[in-house]
Amino acid sequence: MRTNEGDCRVVVVGAGAGGTLVATHLVTALSSRFRVELVDPAPTTGRGQAYSTTDDRHLLNVPASGMSAFPRDPEHFLRWLRNHHDPKFQPHDFAPRAVFGRYIESLLTTATEFPGNARLVRRRAEVVDISGSGDGFVVDLSDGDSIEARAVVLATSSQPGTGWAPAELARDERLVADPWTQGIPEVGDVLMLGSGLTMVDLAISADRPDRTIHVVSRTDAVPHPHVLPTTPPVPPPPGITRTQDLDTLRATLAAHVEETVEATGDWRAAIDGLRPVTAQLWRGLSEADKRSFLARDARSWDVRRHRMAPATARRFHAIAAEGRLERHRGTIASAQADTSALRVTLDDGTTLRVAAVVNCTGPVGSIAADPLLTRLAQTGLVRPGPAGLGIDTADDGRIVGTLPEALPFLAVGSLRRGNLWESTAMPEIREQAYDVARIVSRSMHGESRRRPVDPYGLTLSTSQDAAERYNAALGRLLRLQDGVEEGLVEAVAADEGFVQAHAALALLGHEWGTNTHWQASLRAAHRAASDRHLDDRESSFLDAVTTRLRTDEATGAAALLRHVRLFPRDALAVSVAVPTVAFGGLTSGTQTAELVESLGRSYGDDWWYAGQLAFVRQDQERWGEAGDLSAYALSVEPASGHAVHARAHVFYETGQHTAGLAWLDEWIRSRGPEANHRSHFSWHAALHELMQDDVEAVRRRYERELAPSVVSGSRVVVDSGALLWRGRVTGAWTDDLPVGDVRAAAPKEWLTAPPTAFAAMHGAVLLAADGDAGALTQLAEHASRSEDRVFRDVVSPLCTGLVAVVEERWNAASATLTQVVATMDPLGGSKAQREVVEDTLVHALAMAGRNAEAAAVLDQRLSRRSSALDARRRASVVATDPSTTSEPVSR
């Protein structure tokens, strides 16, 4: 064998689902000069123990919609099912396990059909040893052959263990040690030890009219069924990943499940919502707590987390209901054999006469149960994982041992259970397989160091120094602090080929309208991309940013939202997509809520996400939840601008103006100097002062914190201009309104061709404050010609209504603005911001003498929150028209 052949070879040990997926990704990612050797003694490929069954009654325990093999194509398995199994298959249906095995195998077969891809060699042998050799490996096989390789991936699954079996039973051939490779007798009663999903499937297969199936387990707990339709996952309790001990975690989870049942009627939503934080929770436990969990809690977790398909549950429970299945709590104490049967005695004294004992205890997770791992542990290449489960691995799947990190030696699947706990289901396996294949592919092309990552684990194709500068800038963006663009400029200065930083500069420059250099940043990103091997997330981000910046609003928004769906942990892209202090957003109303809530399965109880979710909850008028979420986020990161923003809205919408003003003033004093868009927090404080009818305080704050001398860019329109107009139409500030200074400082395009409907609303308000009916008419015409429906249906009528206000045609203004107020949610932003239009309507109604209607609008608002200003306005219209109700509705 030529010694340089190993430089082009990768060995994947294990041809189950995980190993086959790794091989598929490698065959696709590497060119034909490379060879992928998939080694496993099994006669099949892609099945492993989980999918080797041939009984179509054995169903997956996850609906088809959750079983795609590709992380970025969630509907791939469903399409394959419809093309190769059943054209009518639905997303919520549960496919046979055998069909899924064929699906996994077909992926590898398809990948090998392209001549430009790497070559696949399928070796049906057992790996008996692996050793490091120079800058590669030597893999020894049971058939006497050896393979030189540049990289090795372990994807083996543990075999079932029988250490529980009494000596006489262990020697008897009627012990079915591995039920997926050994048959169960057709005649006679059987005893199944273990009560998990394996037992359920085997009981269905082994059921006979004249047979009793005895199920023996220590807990007598069987998997719970799925319930259709499913209840969406409920996010985990804020701060749960910071729980310090197992007892506290147990209590927190019990309370969370109880609250979820009260809210949704289904505990499953609570368990499913824990998925993004499960690994963090496990890693946060001490070694002693991990072992305590395994002894006391693991079984309870498993039967709730890994559930039966509804059809499987019906079949299983029917067998029991018809008297053919008996469950026993305990274990096997002894066994005696005769020629016709086994007499098994349980530890409670019960004696059963059976034709076979079927091992359903599942795989053994320790190194000692696997000859290859035992050998590798002896040479130091692997070491036991936490709590003795599997082998120790780093976060990216690299095996921790004596080999240097530069040698690509990685693991996927159940071998990583000690570090991750949940590491056997397809959603985890597909991510691991893809990530490991990507690391191996890069190493095969000469990249030996790890690429740096952002705070959410996403790859950054750059130097460590540039990545640190980028991450510092991203952190400032997530906290809503100044210096984001300056930090990104520093990142590209450290690495001129840093595609992600160039693209981020382009996107932020475009969205914020703070500079005209975003075109140059986008060109720089594309130049750099032509010379750098990007991660698929980075490529997707660049494509989405390019579409966003070079096409119309609808197309650009759709491109960025698609990127967020594919890469939900791209926090920078999410920040732009969601309406916030910093961005108008790409969604509004229920769309925003659905988007943010869908991200919970990716972020868990992350502080930044908690701030985003808090804002959604306040918009849904779920004030208590919003307050709790924002308080949690601020306890982790006191500078979290999103949490401050949500909390400010809670204070405002619940009428806590005195407390809200005091809290905001302290935050502005202590954290405000670092805050980006700090004027918006000053606007919130001024809004509290306005609601208290403290006009002098509003004037002082405006001069100190909101005048054009201290505010610039789009914020001078959104915050300064909107406050002045609200002061005028509420009668709080009618003289010496400094509108001219604000208009002079405003971005010109916001008053003529605003980039979004949200910007257009504020531009129109500023033009109204300046009394410019002509400019408003032009803006109305511009909006009416837009391809964006919100511009046509909301912005254009708003401008027309404001023209009528400026021209003091009060009845016309009232009629038009009444329609606008009913349809303005798609403008984006918050209710508090859009409320300026409602204030204008009240003013128009009052000026038109339609006092009862004006009072009704104010009554509706006062029923939601207290306001000295609104109470005074209502009293004024009541005094003008005695026919209106004399008492306002109190909150």
Side-chain angles (χ1 to χ4, degrees):
M1 180 183 295
R2 298 192 306 274
T3 57
N4 66 347
E5 282 189 348
D7 292 339
C8 296
R9 285 182 176 171
V10 183
V11 172
V12 179
V13 184
T20 301
L21 279 181
V22 172
T24 299
H25 290 307
L26 287 171
V27 167
T28 303
L30 298 171
S31 66
S32 58
R33 75 183 182 92
F34 294 97
R35 182 181 298 179
V36 178
E37 307 246 6
L38 182 59
V39 185
D40 192 313
T44 60
T45 300
R47 269 92 169 158
Q49 292 178 355
Y51 312 117
S52 61
T53 178
T54 58
D55 190 334
D56 279 348
R57 293 173 296 177
H58 295 169
L59 304 180
L60 297 171
N61 66 320
V62 176
S65 59
M67 290 296 289
S68 171
F70 298 107
R72 315 304 171 216
D73 188 357
E75 295 183 352
H76 188 271
F77 179 49
L78 182 60
R79 294 198 305 273
W80 186 93
L81 280 169
R82 289 172 174 173
N83 289 329
H84 298 89
H85 178 64
D86 180 354
K88 298 179 181 179
F89 214 88
Q90 296 301 307
H92 59 269
D93 291 338
F94 292 76
R97 292 179 181 272
V99 172
F100 188 78
R102 294 203 302 273
Y103 164 66
I104 295 295
E105 183 180 33
S106 74
L107 302 178
L108 182 57
T109 300
T110 300
T112 61
E113 291 173 350
F114 291 87
N117 287 350
R119 294 166 291 164
L120 176 75
V121 176
R122 174 67 169 92
R123 290 182 180 258
R124 287 177 171 80
E126 190 171 351
V127 173
V128 295
D129 197 9
I130 301 170
S131 57
S133 176
D135 59 355
F137 300 86
V138 173
V139 180
D140 295 327
L141 306 184
S142 56
D143 60 8
D145 202 357
S146 294
I147 309 171
E148 292 184 2
R150 178 69 183 85
V152 172
V153 178
L154 296 185
T156 58
S157 59
S158 300
Q159 299 301 310
T162 57
W164 49 265
E168 188 170 356
L169 176 61
R171 294 191 298 268
D172 197 289
E173 63 181 11
R174 286 165 292 193
L175 170 62
V176 182
D178 183 356
W180 300 116
T181 60
Q182 298 173 251
I184 298 174
E186 291 290 327
V187 178
D189 295 349
V190 295
L191 184 155
M192 296 186 175
L193 186 69
S195 59
L197 290 170
T198 296
M199 178 278 296
V200 171
D201 278 346
L202 293 174
I204 290 171
S205 291
D207 181 40
R208 303 287 186 273
D210 55 351
R211 161 178 284 174
T212 298
I213 299 170
H214 298 277
V215 176
V216 179
S217 67
R218 293 185 184 276
T219 63
D220 190 32
V222 299
H224 289 269
H226 284 278
V227 173
L228 298 176
T230 58
T231 303
V234 172
I240 192 173
T241 56
R242 289 162 178 80
T243 304
Q244 296 298 312
D245 61 87
L246 184 56
D247 287 338
T248 303
L249 180 59
R250 287 186 182 114
T252 302
L253 289 178
H256 175 55
V257 170
E258 183 177 350
E259 292 169 3
T260 300
V261 171
E262 289 178 1
T264 69
D266 189 0
W267 55 265
R268 294 165 182 81
I271 301 300
D272 294 342
L274 293 171
R275 188 160 209 152
V277 299
T278 301
Q280 288 175 272
L281 294 175
W282 174 254
R283 285 195 293 263
L285 296 176
S286 67
E287 184 73 7
D289 275 347
K290 286 186 175 76
R291 293 184 182 275
S292 176
F293 175 86
L294 292 175
R296 294 178 50 191
D297 307 285
R299 185 59 188 154
S300 177
W301 169 265
D302 283 343
V303 298
R304 289 167 174 81
R305 173 67 186 81
H306 303 285
R307 301 191 283 271
M308 292 186 279
T312 299
R314 288 193 296 270
R315 287 174 178 140
F316 177 73
H317 292 306
I319 297 171
E322 292 166 12
R324 298 192 301 279
L325 185 142
E326 293 184 11
R327 288 158 58 179
H328 308 268
R329 184 167 185 162
T331 190
I332 296 175
S334 64
Q336 292 180 324
D338 59 36
T339 57
S340 59
L342 286 167
R343 190 174 67 184
V344 179
T345 302
L346 307 184
D347 57 0
D348 65 355
T350 301
T351 299
L352 304 172
R353 186 177 178 82
V354 296
V357 173
V358 184
N359 180 23
C360 301
T361 59
V364 177
S366 67
I367 283 178
D370 187 303
L372 173 61
L373 296 181
T374 300
R375 172 62 181 157
L376 298 182
Q378 291 169 349
T379 59
L381 267 65
V382 304
R383 67 188 189 195
L389 296 177
I391 59 176
D392 198 10
T393 58
D395 289 345
D396 61 359
R398 295 175 195 260
I399 295 171
V400 178
T402 57
L403 290 176
E405 187 179 292
L407 281 181
F409 189 35
L410 300 103
V412 299
S414 61
L415 293 175
R416 296 174 63 179
R417 200 169 181 223
N419 297 93
L420 302 175
W421 175 242
E422 288 287 336
S423 189
T424 58
M426 184 48 56
E428 285 79 30
I429 296 296
R430 66 189 174 206
E431 292 283 355
Q432 292 177 20
Y434 175 79
D435 291 341
V436 163
R438 183 175 55 188
I439 292 170
V440 171
S441 174
R442 289 171 178 167
S443 72
M444 300 299 284
H445 288 99
E447 184 177 319
S448 59
R449 64 176 179 84
R450 296 191 195 189
R451 294 189 185 186
V453 297
D454 77 1
Y456 294 102
L458 301 179
T459 300
L460 298 174
S461 299
T462 188
S463 67
Q464 189 63 43
D465 178 45
E468 289 174 359
R469 296 172 188 270
Y470 175 89
N471 285 337
L474 178 58
R476 300 189 73 81
L477 176 70
L478 300 184
R479 293 189 296 272
L480 292 182
Q481 292 177 320
D482 275 336
V484 177
E485 290 177 296
E486 294 82 353
L488 291 173
V489 169
E490 291 179 6
V492 296
D495 176 11
E496 293 183 0
F498 193 176
V499 176
Q500 178 72 18
H502 282 300
L505 269 172
L507 181 62
L508 298 185
H510 176 270
E511 299 300 316
W512 283 340
T514 53
N515 66 66
T516 59
H517 308 306
W518 59 262
Q519 296 97 331
S521 295
L522 185 61
R523 289 194 295 271
H526 281 277
R527 284 197 302 271
S530 64
D531 296 323
R532 188 157 292 187
H533 180 66
L534 296 179
D535 176 82
D536 62 342
R537 192 272 311 190
E538 294 168 306
S539 296
S540 174
F541 182 74
L542 178 57
D543 290 344
V545 170
T546 302
T547 305
R548 172 72 174 158
L549 272 53
R550 289 181 176 173
T551 62
D552 61 89
E553 175 68 20
T555 304
L560 202 58
L561 288 171
R562 180 179 182 277
H563 171 77
V564 168
R565 286 195 299 272
L566 294 176
F567 301 95
R569 287 178 68 83
D570 191 336
L572 192 150
V574 173
S575 295
V576 175
V578 176
T580 64
V581 175
F583 302 99
L586 309 178
T587 59
S588 63
T590 57
Q591 288 179 310
T592 300
E594 289 170 359
L595 172 60
V596 173
E597 288 167 350
S598 73
L599 298 172
R601 65 195 70 167
S602 299
Y603 288 96
D605 68 344
D606 173 74
W607 66 266
W608 170 76
Y609 174 71
Q612 296 278 17
L613 185 59
F615 193 80
V616 167
R617 292 291 180 254
Q618 69 79 28
D619 199 50
Q620 296 169 329
E621 301 184 4
R622 294 159 67 172
W623 314 121
E625 292 176 61
D628 290 344
L629 286 163
S630 60
Y632 160 68
L634 289 166
S635 73
V636 178
E637 176 49 77
S640 172
H642 292 294
V644 173
H645 190 210
R647 195 170 181 83
H649 275 276
V650 171
F651 278 123
Y652 177 71
E653 297 293 353
T654 56
Q656 301 179 69
H657 302 303
T658 301
L661 179 59
W663 184 82
L664 262 178
D665 269 338
E666 173 57 26
W667 192 87
I668 291 170
R669 182 195 65 77
S670 61
R671 299 285 178 177
E674 283 190 294
N676 196 2
H677 309 287
R678 66 179 65 87
S679 66
H680 190 64
F681 300 109
S682 296
W683 174 85
H684 269 282
L687 212 56
H688 281 306
E689 292 165 336
L690 192 62
M691 292 302 104
Q692 292 175 312
D693 211 10
D694 190 348
V695 179
E696 290 308 312
V698 175
R699 287 172 178 263
R700 288 193 300 271
R701 188 176 300 275
Y702 178 84
E703 291 299 328
R704 185 176 69 247
E705 300 171 16
L706 288 163
S709 59
V710 291
V711 181
S712 61
S714 59
R715 299 249 65 109
V716 80
V717 184
V718 173
D719 299 322
S720 309
L723 180 67
L724 292 179
W725 178 244
R726 187 171 286 198
R728 172 174 287 178
V729 297
T730 59
W733 187 357
T734 58
D735 60 315
D736 302 325
L737 215 62
V739 176
D741 294 340
V742 173
R743 182 169 179 178
K748 295 289 188 291
E749 67 273 14
W750 274 54
L751 306 181
T752 56
T756 65
F758 177 78
M761 176 188 77
H762 285 89
V765 164
L766 179 55
L767 292 174
D770 202 29
D772 195 337
L776 276 168
T777 300
Q778 292 177 354
L779 184 55
E781 293 173 352
H782 170 80
S784 68
R785 296 191 298 270
S786 174
E787 295 181 358
D788 188 332
R789 179 187 61 79
V790 181
F791 270 87
R792 296 194 308 272
D793 296 350
V794 185
V795 172
S796 184
L798 170 62
C799 293
T800 301
L802 291 175
V803 168
V805 171
V806 170
E807 295 177 348
E808 299 185 1
R809 294 183 287 110
W810 303 115
N811 277 313
S814 298
T816 303
L817 293 177
T818 296
Q819 295 177 350
V820 171
V821 166
T823 60
M824 64 181 177
D825 283 1
L827 288 171
S830 66
K831 292 177 182 177
Q833 288 173 310
R834 297 191 298 271
E835 205 171 71
V836 69
V837 180
E838 188 176 81
D839 277 319
T840 309
L841 171 61
V842 172
H843 175 64
L845 289 168
M847 295 301 293
R850 297 161 65 171
N851 296 305
E853 294 173 69
V857 176
L858 291 169
D859 278 342
Q860 186 178 28
R861 186 183 296 183
L862 286 166
S863 71
R864 301 199 315 269
R865 63 167 181 268
S866 62
S867 165
L869 173 70
D870 289 340
R872 175 178 62 76
R873 294 169 71 196
R874 188 188 183 283
S876 176
V877 297
V878 168
T880 304
D881 184 355
S883 67
T884 58
T885 306
S886 58
E887 292 294 331
V889 178
S890 61
R891 187 175 182 273

